[in-house]
Amino acid sequence: MSNITLECYTRAATDPEAPPADGMKSSSLIVGGAACAVAAGRTRRTKVLDNYKESEALTQKLMALKGLACAKYLVDAGHKPIVLEARDCLGHLAKPCVLVPMNLFSELDIEDRLQWKRHQMIFAMQELPGEFTTFDFLEGIPAPFNFGLSILLNQKMLTLPEKLQTAPALLPMLVEGQKFIDLQDELSVLNFMEKYGMPDRINTEVFIAMAKALDFIDPEKLSMTVVLTAMNRFLNETDGLQMAFIDGNQTVRLCEPLKEYIESRGGQVLCEKPLARIETNEDGSVKCFKLRNGQEVVADEYVSSVPCDIMKRILPRAWSTDPFFRQIDELEGIPVINIHLWFDRKLLNVNHLCFSRSPLLSVYADMSTCCKEYEDQDKSMLELVFAPCSPIAGGGVNWMGKSDEEIVAATMKELERLFPTEIGEHLPDGGAKLLKHAVVKVPRSVYAAIPGRNKFRPSQETPIKNFTLAGDWTSQKFLGSMEGAILGGKLAAEVVACKAAGEPTKGLKEVDPSILAKKDTFVAKDPMGVKGKTPIAFGGGEVLGSGFVPWPFSFRLVPEGRFLGR
């Protein structure tokens, strides 16, 4: 994100007590997390009715980063944001590692919390159980040559004729860039391969693994724009594929510094403040946020950072016939399952993220080796992404409806293939024993990047004069990811900062003609609202099973006997 900056800063970020510049409101903003939206107050502290209470201490669980990122860049612009989070935690949907947005870590002065891995991609060999192959990006060789050389040097996954047959399909991307990439959104990965005559083994050897890692979905369901966006980055950025693990739990190691940064500059981060509804004025603008406890939050500017599925449920009646907001109906979150497994011994492993190339599993990592906070010389702890896990993602089984025991049993069967000399009852000692496990189900995670969805991603700016959208599902160059969440929040902050400074914004993204053609059929409807108090209700993930040992860094045992997390 080094080339993205807030263009309308009107106060120095290093001087939060400086008076507002001419034309800027002395405003507070409330940036919503998993189920609340954002507001900007008319005074330095947002006016809240009914004895607004201070938030309680944060618990160590996970939530989305987009609201925190928006608030961070708003304090940089001189505002006083207040983050309202429906749950009692801060964090983001966790993967074993992240392709990190380096600027944010640098700005928070926490770069030392990143554990960089060797610049390579590691794939399990399907036809050779227990063996792996790598694509190595040689140091000192710039992009795109390092990417091309890594493919040529790997002799195990694709033949030379197959590599040469693949190149012509990628040449238009190199010549035309993002324009060509965007035009491929109507095609699935398999459609694109057929159109350009790519060999079938490219799919089985590479694209299946990429698709499941990028969007938890199989290639026949995934938009080719997603794959090309990732590949274009590898081709244009020398370090575009180098990975790092945060050295511990994301809540503590990333979100807590964000919270401290925001609050040290006059903002606030408040948890357990779920939104009941957005109330509007006669002109359609936001009047206030009504919280479940009856409190009303009044402000100058409001920013929603909720997932697209939650946004559809809280959309006010006054906006429900507006094509800009109705295009969100075309977006929905994709289901995914995260699995954590603790073993009684150390498994053979690599200090990196691995692409399993399994029908059921996406990527995995041995966190006892890859991450400092989970370090254990004697026992392994694997984190795995189970995908696709439902028919909407291309899977043949609705694993979201299966029990944790069934999911873990299927996972262990796949691990027997990945670790044939260490896991499985066929081994003399019965193999590595599972000590404990946690299965985190996220029914609606990142938006499903199926063909034809990109055109429905709305701009951060909306037709409502005091309402802005943030999130990885809004229109921005990254995918549904940590980077996309942070960039979406940053672009939302830019909209607010520019409006406050009286500067022009980038404007609204045009609504697709297919939506405009239906505008006369739209019927006003009341919002459904968000029901319940669990993380899943607010777009997060949750361990729904029973009898599991809590993971001390990401889960907390609650009175109902469940583990909550995201």
Side-chain angles (χ1 to χ4, degrees):
M1 297 198 320
S2 59
N3 62 333
I4 303 293
T5 59
L6 273 177
E7 299 174 353
C8 301
Y9 283 176
T10 52
R11 295 166 71 187
T14 55
D15 185 12
E17 297 304 319
D22 291 342
M24 175 182 165
K25 299 175 182 177
S26 176
S27 58
S28 303
L29 291 106
I30 303 164
V31 182
C36 266
V38 178
R42 300 179 187 283
T43 63
R44 288 189 179 273
R45 293 287 178 226
T46 301
K47 178 183 178 184
V48 183
L49 308 181
D50 298 336
N51 299 316
Y52 200 63
K53 298 186 296 181
E54 295 295 324
S55 65
E56 298 178 359
L58 297 175
T59 58
Q60 294 185 15
K61 297 184 299 183
L62 301 173
M63 165 215 136
L65 280 171
K66 47 204 171 187
L68 290 172
C70 184
K72 186 268 180 197
Y73 291 110
L74 284 168
V75 296
D76 287 347
H79 294 278
K80 306 284 187 181
I82 302 177
V83 179
L84 296 182
E85 164 56 36
R87 296 172 291 167
D88 63 348
C89 57
L90 298 171
H92 186 74
L93 175 62
K95 292 183 183 178
C97 80
V98 294
L99 294 172
V100 291
M102 277 300 298
N103 271 21
L104 182 64
F105 282 81
S106 176
E107 291 160 5
L108 296 173
D109 196 24
I110 56 171
E111 297 147 290
D112 60 338
R113 300 185 182 188
L114 294 172
Q115 293 181 255
W116 287 99
K117 307 305 176 185
R118 184 175 176 179
H119 198 180
Q120 62 181 184
M121 297 175 70
I122 303 176
F123 290 81
M125 296 295 293
Q126 286 184 308
E127 65 280 9
L128 299 172
E131 294 190 22
F132 297 83
T133 186
T134 65
F135 290 87
D136 295 287
F137 295 77
L138 302 181
E139 187 175 353
I141 299 178
F145 305 107
N146 62 346
F147 182 68
L149 190 59
S150 72
I151 294 174
L152 289 174
L153 291 177
N154 182 287
Q155 302 299 315
K156 292 186 176 182
M157 285 181 65
L158 297 172
T159 65
L160 181 59
E162 287 171 334
K163 294 172 185 177
L164 295 176
Q165 194 177 348
T166 300
L170 302 180
L171 288 178
M173 177 182 68
L174 293 174
V175 175
E176 300 179 44
Q178 195 63 43
K179 179 181 178 182
F180 175 81
I181 293 172
D182 290 341
L183 289 175
Q184 309 317 304
D185 189 54
E186 302 298 325
L187 300 177
S188 71
V189 174
L190 295 189
N191 293 152
F192 181 89
M193 290 180 60
E194 182 179 358
K195 179 179 178 180
Y196 285 93
M198 299 176 75
D200 291 341
R201 288 188 69 244
I202 293 292
N203 184 51
T204 56
E205 296 292 291
V206 179
F207 284 164
I208 289 177
M210 285 188 67
K212 295 204 293 184
L214 291 169
D215 203 55
F216 316 132
I217 196 169
D218 275 344
E220 65 265 26
K221 294 279 189 177
L222 183 67
S223 163
M224 190 60 190
T225 288
V226 175
V227 172
L228 292 177
T229 296
M231 295 186 73
N232 190 49
R233 186 171 182 186
F234 306 157
L235 288 166
N236 286 284
E237 299 178 24
T238 298
D239 299 319
L241 193 55
Q242 188 161 13
M243 301 178 190
F245 286 60
I246 301 176
D247 64 4
N249 172 252
Q250 189 190 106
T251 299
V252 176
R253 304 301 285 168
L254 174 57
C255 295
E256 191 63 27
L258 268 170
K259 175 179 179 288
E260 293 171 359
Y261 185 99
I262 292 163
E263 293 184 336
S264 69
R265 288 158 177 79
Q268 296 181 63
V269 179
L270 307 176
C271 293
E272 296 184 281
K273 303 297 178 185
L275 180 72
R277 62 182 178 274
I278 300 173
E279 296 193 349
T280 59
N281 296 305
E282 289 186 6
D283 64 354
S285 61
V286 179
K287 179 181 179 181
C288 70
F289 284 169
K290 192 71 172 278
L291 304 186
R292 284 189 185 178
N293 60 9
Q295 299 167 358
E296 293 181 353
V297 183
V298 180
D300 291 321
E301 294 284 338
Y302 301 77
V303 180
S304 169
S305 64
V306 301
C308 59
D309 296 287
I310 302 300
M311 188 65 225
K312 288 184 279 189
R313 298 183 70 91
I314 65 174
L315 191 69
R317 181 182 180 87
W319 306 349
S320 63
T321 59
D322 190 319
F324 180 90
F325 292 105
R326 288 302 295 266
Q327 67 184 324
I328 303 174
D329 291 345
E330 304 297 325
L331 304 174
E332 62 178 317
I334 199 78
V336 69
I337 298 173
N338 293 311
I339 303 174
H340 314 278
L341 304 175
W342 289 259
F343 290 92
D344 65 347
R345 67 192 69 177
K346 193 75 169 180
L347 303 173
L348 291 175
N349 64 87
V350 293
N351 186 13
H352 214 294
L353 182 76
C354 295
F355 293 82
S356 73
R357 302 171 74 220
S358 152
L360 294 180
L361 305 176
S362 173
V363 292
Y364 74 92
D366 189 334
M367 299 299 282
S368 68
T369 297
C370 294
C371 182
K372 181 179 179 181
E373 194 165 349
Y374 309 94
E375 184 175 356
D376 191 325
Q377 299 299 320
D378 301 316
K379 298 175 183 177
S380 286
M381 191 278 271
L382 300 186
E383 278 196 29
L384 311 101
V385 177
F386 193 101
C389 59
S390 72
I392 189 178
V397 177
N398 180 19
W399 289 101
M400 297 299 290
K402 299 291 185 179
S403 69
D404 288 359
E405 289 76 12
E406 290 174 298
I407 293 169
V408 171
T411 300
M412 291 298 292
K413 202 68 179 174
E414 287 299 305
L415 290 179
E416 287 184 24
R417 182 180 63 81
L418 293 172
F419 301 94
T421 62
E422 299 175 278
I423 296 177
E425 296 180 356
H426 63 281
L427 297 172
D429 64 348
K433 302 297 189 298
L434 192 61
L435 298 177
K436 57 185 178 180
H437 63 268
V439 177
V440 185
K441 293 182 178 180
V442 189
R444 299 292 184 183
S445 62
V446 297
Y447 78 96
I450 59 178
R453 299 305 98 182
N454 215 30
K455 59 180 175 287
F456 300 120
R457 296 170 71 186
S459 55
Q460 289 75 35
E461 186 173 353
T462 77
I464 307 305
K465 63 183 180 183
N466 62 347
F467 185 77
T468 305
L469 293 172
D472 57 9
W473 57 276
T474 59
S475 185
Q476 44 84 21
K477 68 176 183 177
F478 293 136
L479 312 171
S481 62
M482 176 185 285
E483 290 177 303
I486 292 172
L487 179 56
K490 191 170 190 177
L491 293 174
E494 181 177 316
V495 171
V496 174
C498 286
K499 289 196 294 184
E503 297 289 339
T505 63
K506 294 178 180 177
L508 297 174
K509 177 183 173 182
E510 291 186 7
V511 177
D512 189 75
S514 65
I515 301 296
L516 295 176
K518 298 185 291 185
K519 65 179 181 179
D520 292 336
T521 67
F522 296 149
V523 178
K525 56 184 179 180
D526 293 324
M528 298 175 64
V530 176
K531 312 298 182 184
K533 299 180 180 180
T534 67
I536 284 178
F538 301 125
E542 187 172 358
V543 175
L544 300 174
S546 59
F548 301 113
V549 180
W551 184 24
F553 303 116
S554 291
F555 299 93
R556 180 172 62 87
L557 190 61
V558 296
E560 294 86 356
R562 291 174 297 192
F563 301 94
L564 307 183
R566 182 172 180 185

